[in-house]
Amino acid sequence: MVSIKVILSFGASLALASPVPATPSPLLMDREVGQFNASRPNVTIFATGGTIAGSAGSSDQTTGYKAGALGVDVLIEAVPQLWNVSNPSGIQFANVGSSEMTPALLLNLTQMVQQELDKPEVQGVVVTHGTDTLEETAFFLDITLRTNKTVVVVGSMRPATAISADGPINLLGAVTVAALPSAAGRGVMVVLNDRIASAYYTTKTQANAPDTFKSYEQGFLGYLLDIKPVFYFQPALPTGRPYFNVTKAAAAHLPPVEILYGYQGLDPKLAAAAVANGAKGLVCTGMGAGGWTESGQKALAQLVKDNGTAVVFSRRTMDGFVESRPVGYGAGSLNPQKARYTLMLALHAGYGDEEMRALFESQSPA
Ligand SMILES: *[C@@H]1O[C@H](CO)[C@@H](O)[C@H](O)[C@H]1NC(C)=O
Ligand SMILES: *[C@@H]1O[C@H](CO)[C@@H](O)[C@H](O)[C@H]1NC(C)=O
Ligand SMILES: *[C@@H]1O[C@H](CO)[C@@H](O)[C@H](O)[C@H]1NC(C)=O
Ligand SMILES: *[C@@H]1O[C@H](CO)[C@@H](O)[C@H](O)[C@H]1NC(C)=O
Ligand SMILES: *[C@@H]1O[C@H](CO)[C@@H](O)[C@H](O)[C@H]1NC(C)=O
Ligand SMILES: *[C@@H]1O[C@H](CO)[C@@H](O)[C@H](O)[C@H]1NC(C)=O
Ligand SMILES: *[C@@H]1O[C@H](CO)[C@@H](O)[C@H](O)[C@H]1NC(C)=O
């Protein structure tokens, strides 16, 4: 029996409000769990917290529990079947509810994941995450990682203490997909509820139920049948998917971008207030196909002209395309939270007007 390394953040906190620094002096623990087998794929599991590591007082409690209560070692120990498909090893990146994940943490996370993927002895990576903002992290990883290996983001809707907790089977599904070389070439994937989805397109659609991650228009990439991945399509990448290289040391900070919501009688002054507060870009969650009020558009045009604010229009409707207009780029099929990370990374990369337009227009049909 060979021991595996479980790296736990020193002082990993249960408090939701204080994210654990990504690289504190690690406490290395040797554990005799599972059977190492050199011919099986090595899969590294980055744990960030969330419901999948959540704990509640009773088995019928699926709300109001403490997210991010269990460490990655507990998650791995709870699913010995992981050893049948991989040599799993865990890195405790953070232990927070997903609302506490930040752009700064994502920059660190993607750099750490890239380093892991670049190791020849690592075949795949899994990231465990709270579901509320899982799509943001998964999307961010998708457009900032360069790899031919498989990366899967996974969470659960029920805490580990719940009856029919979905965390263990979701984790086993995620590691099984990450360990499969033929799963690669589809971008980062999201695995929950036996479904394999593209991180680029998938979104959380239901606040409470386990069948929440969907991409209505684009569909699923595949299914897990008896925890064996079945893909519906050959590997393919999302149309227009950009790549942003944030491995550079200079990438310590992303320009702030705020999201405004569109509704009848919206206050046009909120846009300038956000810019006065430091926003370098604005994503407008427009009505219908990105519609905005006339007074609101005037205020935005002023900010674009006077303050160099980058404005992107997305939609508050569930799906569909938003096209560019004279003032403001259209987010194509990207929802506001995905358009926001795209804009932050493009601003960070120093994109000018033409590059911005090309980037966002590549998200829509020509
Ligand atoms: C990111 O990593 C750097 C260097 O490893 C560290 O100094 C910083 O505190 C980390 N930031 C966050 C938000 O974890
Ligand atoms: C190690 O894994 C390989 C491939 O899955 C398998 O054929 C072999 O039987 C395993 N060895 C042991 C000792 O479990
Ligand atoms: C692993 O696979 C073997 C052979 O199929 C099986 O006997 C064993 O129960 C499995 N172990 C786990 C933990 O699922
Ligand atoms: C898994 O990692 C070990 C070292 O920890 C290495 O010896 C082995 O070759 C790796 N397995 C694969 C399939 O790369
Ligand atoms: C992925 O594989 C292709 C084709 O073999 C190769 O050209 C490319 O460099 C690889 N990319 C990475 C990041 O390893
Ligand atoms: C990203 O930037 C780093 C540092 O400049 C460089 O070493 C690396 O090759 C780049 N990666 C890609 C995929 O372009
Ligand atoms: C935008 O730029 C104008 C002209 O320089 C300046 O007067 C105004 O204060 C700026 N607005 C904000 C919200 O920063």
PDB file of all heavy atoms in Angstrom, residues 247-264:
ATOM      1  N   THR A 247      -0.904  33.266 -17.106  1.00  0.00           N
ATOM      2  CA  THR A 247       0.181  32.633 -16.348  1.00  0.00           C
ATOM      3  C   THR A 247       1.301  33.616 -16.040  1.00  0.00           C
ATOM      4  O   THR A 247       2.184  33.323 -15.249  1.00  0.00           O
ATOM      5  CB  THR A 247       0.770  31.430 -17.108  1.00  0.00           C
ATOM      6  OG1 THR A 247       1.209  31.878 -18.389  1.00  0.00           O
ATOM      7  CG2 THR A 247      -0.258  30.338 -17.277  1.00  0.00           C
ATOM      8  N   LYS A 248       1.251  34.782 -16.671  1.00  0.00           N
ATOM      9  CA  LYS A 248       2.302  35.766 -16.447  1.00  0.00           C
ATOM     10  C   LYS A 248       2.253  36.287 -15.005  1.00  0.00           C
ATOM     11  O   LYS A 248       1.187  36.425 -14.423  1.00  0.00           O
ATOM     12  CB  LYS A 248       2.133  36.951 -17.395  1.00  0.00           C
ATOM     13  CG  LYS A 248       2.234  36.574 -18.850  1.00  0.00           C
ATOM     14  CD  LYS A 248       2.005  37.816 -19.715  1.00  0.00           C
ATOM     15  CE  LYS A 248       1.841  37.437 -21.169  1.00  0.00           C
ATOM     16  NZ  LYS A 248       0.552  36.751 -21.434  1.00  0.00           N
ATOM     17  N   ALA A 249       3.423  36.588 -14.468  1.00  0.00           N
ATOM     18  CA  ALA A 249       3.504  37.078 -13.092  1.00  0.00           C
ATOM     19  C   ALA A 249       2.720  38.377 -12.925  1.00  0.00           C
ATOM     20  O   ALA A 249       2.195  38.667 -11.856  1.00  0.00           O
ATOM     21  CB  ALA A 249       4.961  37.295 -12.707  1.00  0.00           C
ATOM     22  N   ALA A 250       2.617  39.150 -13.996  1.00  0.00           N
ATOM     23  CA  ALA A 250       1.954  40.443 -13.911  1.00  0.00           C
ATOM     24  C   ALA A 250       0.450  40.336 -13.672  1.00  0.00           C
ATOM     25  O   ALA A 250      -0.205  41.312 -13.341  1.00  0.00           O
ATOM     26  CB  ALA A 250       2.198  41.224 -15.196  1.00  0.00           C
ATOM     27  N   ALA A 251      -0.066  39.131 -13.833  1.00  0.00           N
ATOM     28  CA  ALA A 251      -1.528  38.972 -13.799  1.00  0.00           C
ATOM     29  C   ALA A 251      -2.093  38.925 -12.387  1.00  0.00           C
ATOM     30  O   ALA A 251      -2.831  38.041 -12.030  1.00  0.00           O
ATOM     31  CB  ALA A 251      -1.906  37.709 -14.559  1.00  0.00           C
ATOM     32  N   ALA A 252      -1.750  39.886 -11.565  1.00  0.00           N
ATOM     33  CA  ALA A 252      -2.183  39.836 -10.171  1.00  0.00           C
ATOM     34  C   ALA A 252      -3.580  40.385  -9.957  1.00  0.00           C
ATOM     35  O   ALA A 252      -4.190  40.151  -8.927  1.00  0.00           O
ATOM     36  CB  ALA A 252      -1.187  40.594  -9.306  1.00  0.00           C
ATOM     37  N   HIS A 253      -4.103  41.101 -10.947  1.00  0.00           N
ATOM     38  CA  HIS A 253      -5.324  41.855 -10.694  1.00  0.00           C
ATOM     39  C   HIS A 253      -6.114  41.992 -11.991  1.00  0.00           C
ATOM     40  O   HIS A 253      -5.544  42.285 -13.033  1.00  0.00           O
ATOM     41  CB  HIS A 253      -4.874  43.230 -10.149  1.00  0.00           C
ATOM     42  CG  HIS A 253      -5.926  44.273 -10.145  1.00  0.00           C
ATOM     43  ND1 HIS A 253      -6.843  44.385  -9.131  1.00  0.00           N
ATOM     44  CD2 HIS A 253      -6.210  45.266 -11.016  1.00  0.00           C
ATOM     45  CE1 HIS A 253      -7.647  45.400  -9.390  1.00  0.00           C
ATOM     46  NE2 HIS A 253      -7.291  45.954 -10.528  1.00  0.00           N
ATOM     47  N   LEU A 254      -7.416  41.767 -11.937  1.00  0.00           N
ATOM     48  CA  LEU A 254      -8.248  41.960 -13.122  1.00  0.00           C
ATOM     49  C   LEU A 254      -9.032  43.255 -12.969  1.00  0.00           C
ATOM     50  O   LEU A 254      -9.536  43.550 -11.890  1.00  0.00           O
ATOM     51  CB  LEU A 254      -9.228  40.794 -13.281  1.00  0.00           C
ATOM     52  CG  LEU A 254      -8.658  39.420 -13.635  1.00  0.00           C
ATOM     53  CD1 LEU A 254      -9.773  38.382 -13.660  1.00  0.00           C
ATOM     54  CD2 LEU A 254      -7.929  39.450 -14.965  1.00  0.00           C
ATOM     55  N   PRO A 255      -9.163  44.041 -14.051  1.00  0.00           N
ATOM     56  CA  PRO A 255      -9.922  45.292 -13.963  1.00  0.00           C
ATOM     57  C   PRO A 255     -11.367  45.007 -13.540  1.00  0.00           C
ATOM     58  O   PRO A 255     -11.981  44.059 -14.034  1.00  0.00           O
ATOM     59  CB  PRO A 255      -9.882  45.836 -15.393  1.00  0.00           C
ATOM     60  CG  PRO A 255      -8.757  45.134 -16.054  1.00  0.00           C
ATOM     61  CD  PRO A 255      -8.629  43.801 -15.388  1.00  0.00           C
ATOM     62  N   PRO A 256     -11.908  45.815 -12.617  1.00  0.00           N
ATOM     63  CA  PRO A 256     -13.275  45.569 -12.164  1.00  0.00           C
ATOM     64  C   PRO A 256     -14.317  45.826 -13.259  1.00  0.00           C
ATOM     65  O   PRO A 256     -14.228  46.821 -13.988  1.00  0.00           O
ATOM     66  CB  PRO A 256     -13.469  46.535 -10.992  1.00  0.00           C
ATOM     67  CG  PRO A 256     -12.349  47.504 -11.069  1.00  0.00           C
ATOM     68  CD  PRO A 256     -11.254  46.906 -11.876  1.00  0.00           C
ATOM     69  N   VAL A 257     -15.265  44.922 -13.371  1.00  0.00           N
ATOM     70  CA  VAL A 257     -16.397  45.064 -14.295  1.00  0.00           C
ATOM     71  C   VAL A 257     -17.670  44.779 -13.500  1.00  0.00           C
ATOM     72  O   VAL A 257     -17.742  43.772 -12.792  1.00  0.00           O
ATOM     73  CB  VAL A 257     -16.268  44.083 -15.481  1.00  0.00           C
ATOM     74  CG1 VAL A 257     -17.555  44.042 -16.297  1.00  0.00           C
ATOM     75  CG2 VAL A 257     -15.091  44.463 -16.377  1.00  0.00           C
ATOM     76  N   GLU A 258     -18.623  45.673 -13.590  1.00  0.00           N
ATOM     77  CA  GLU A 258     -19.883  45.479 -12.859  1.00  0.00           C
ATOM     78  C   GLU A 258     -21.000  45.084 -13.821  1.00  0.00           C
ATOM     79  O   GLU A 258     -20.943  45.374 -15.013  1.00  0.00           O
ATOM     80  CB  GLU A 258     -20.283  46.766 -12.116  1.00  0.00           C
ATOM     81  CG  GLU A 258     -19.233  47.289 -11.138  1.00  0.00           C
ATOM     82  CD  GLU A 258     -18.871  46.319 -10.020  1.00  0.00           C
ATOM     83  OE1 GLU A 258     -19.657  45.384  -9.752  1.00  0.00           O
ATOM     84  OE2 GLU A 258     -17.796  46.483  -9.426  1.00  0.00           O
ATOM     85  N   ILE A 259     -22.006  44.440 -13.256  1.00  0.00           N
ATOM     86  CA  ILE A 259     -23.179  44.015 -14.040  1.00  0.00           C
ATOM     87  C   ILE A 259     -24.380  44.870 -13.645  1.00  0.00           C
ATOM     88  O   ILE A 259     -24.687  45.010 -12.461  1.00  0.00           O
ATOM     89  CB  ILE A 259     -23.484  42.519 -13.807  1.00  0.00           C
ATOM     90  CG1 ILE A 259     -22.306  41.653 -14.270  1.00  0.00           C
ATOM     91  CG2 ILE A 259     -24.771  42.120 -14.527  1.00  0.00           C
ATOM     92  CD1 ILE A 259     -22.476  40.162 -14.029  1.00  0.00           C
ATOM     93  N   LEU A 260     -25.022  45.468 -14.646  1.00  0.00           N
ATOM     94  CA  LEU A 260     -26.255  46.228 -14.408  1.00  0.00           C
ATOM     95  C   LEU A 260     -27.431  45.415 -14.938  1.00  0.00           C
ATOM     96  O   LEU A 260     -27.292  44.682 -15.919  1.00  0.00           O
ATOM     97  CB  LEU A 260     -26.201  47.579 -15.135  1.00  0.00           C
ATOM     98  CG  LEU A 260     -25.064  48.526 -14.739  1.00  0.00           C
ATOM     99  CD1 LEU A 260     -25.067  49.752 -15.648  1.00  0.00           C
ATOM    100  CD2 LEU A 260     -25.180  48.951 -13.281  1.00  0.00           C
ATOM    101  N   TYR A 261     -28.583  45.576 -14.293  1.00  0.00           N
ATOM    102  CA  TYR A 261     -29.766  44.812 -14.714  1.00  0.00           C
ATOM    103  C   TYR A 261     -30.725  45.724 -15.462  1.00  0.00           C
ATOM    104  O   TYR A 261     -30.886  46.897 -15.105  1.00  0.00           O
ATOM    105  CB  TYR A 261     -30.450  44.202 -13.487  1.00  0.00           C
ATOM    106  CG  TYR A 261     -31.236  42.942 -13.813  1.00  0.00           C
ATOM    107  CD1 TYR A 261     -30.580  41.723 -13.939  1.00  0.00           C
ATOM    108  CD2 TYR A 261     -32.609  42.980 -14.006  1.00  0.00           C
ATOM    109  CE1 TYR A 261     -31.288  40.565 -14.256  1.00  0.00           C
ATOM    110  CE2 TYR A 261     -33.319  41.826 -14.318  1.00  0.00           C
ATOM    111  CZ  TYR A 261     -32.649  40.623 -14.441  1.00  0.00           C
ATOM    112  OH  TYR A 261     -33.343  39.483 -14.752  1.00  0.00           O
ATOM    113  N   GLY A 262     -31.341  45.187 -16.497  1.00  0.00           N
ATOM    114  CA  GLY A 262     -32.303  45.956 -17.296  1.00  0.00           C
ATOM    115  C   GLY A 262     -33.738  45.681 -16.877  1.00  0.00           C
ATOM    116  O   GLY A 262     -34.107  44.533 -16.684  1.00  0.00           O
ATOM    117  N   TYR A 263     -34.523  46.744 -16.727  1.00  0.00           N
ATOM    118  CA  TYR A 263     -35.942  46.620 -16.363  1.00  0.00           C
ATOM    119  C   TYR A 263     -36.629  47.933 -16.680  1.00  0.00           C
ATOM    120  O   TYR A 263     -35.960  48.956 -16.906  1.00  0.00           O
ATOM    121  CB  TYR A 263     -36.097  46.288 -14.868  1.00  0.00           C
ATOM    122  CG  TYR A 263     -35.172  47.089 -13.981  1.00  0.00           C
ATOM    123  CD1 TYR A 263     -35.528  48.369 -13.546  1.00  0.00           C
ATOM    124  CD2 TYR A 263     -33.914  46.613 -13.619  1.00  0.00           C
ATOM    125  CE1 TYR A 263     -34.670  49.133 -12.767  1.00  0.00           C
ATOM    126  CE2 TYR A 263     -33.050  47.370 -12.844  1.00  0.00           C
ATOM    127  CZ  TYR A 263     -33.438  48.618 -12.414  1.00  0.00           C
ATOM    128  OH  TYR A 263     -32.581  49.390 -11.664  1.00  0.00           O
ATOM    129  N   GLN A 264     -37.959  47.935 -16.686  1.00  0.00           N
ATOM    130  CA  GLN A 264     -38.731  49.141 -16.980  1.00  0.00           C
ATOM    131  C   GLN A 264     -38.318  50.273 -16.045  1.00  0.00           C
ATOM    132  O   GLN A 264     -38.249  50.084 -14.831  1.00  0.00           O
ATOM    133  CB  GLN A 264     -40.219  48.860 -16.799  1.00  0.00           C
ATOM    134  CG  GLN A 264     -40.758  47.846 -17.791  1.00  0.00           C
ATOM    135  CD  GLN A 264     -42.240  47.569 -17.574  1.00  0.00           C
ATOM    136  OE1 GLN A 264     -42.835  48.027 -16.600  1.00  0.00           O
ATOM    137  NE2 GLN A 264     -42.837  46.814 -18.479  1.00  0.00           N
TER     138      GLN A 264
END
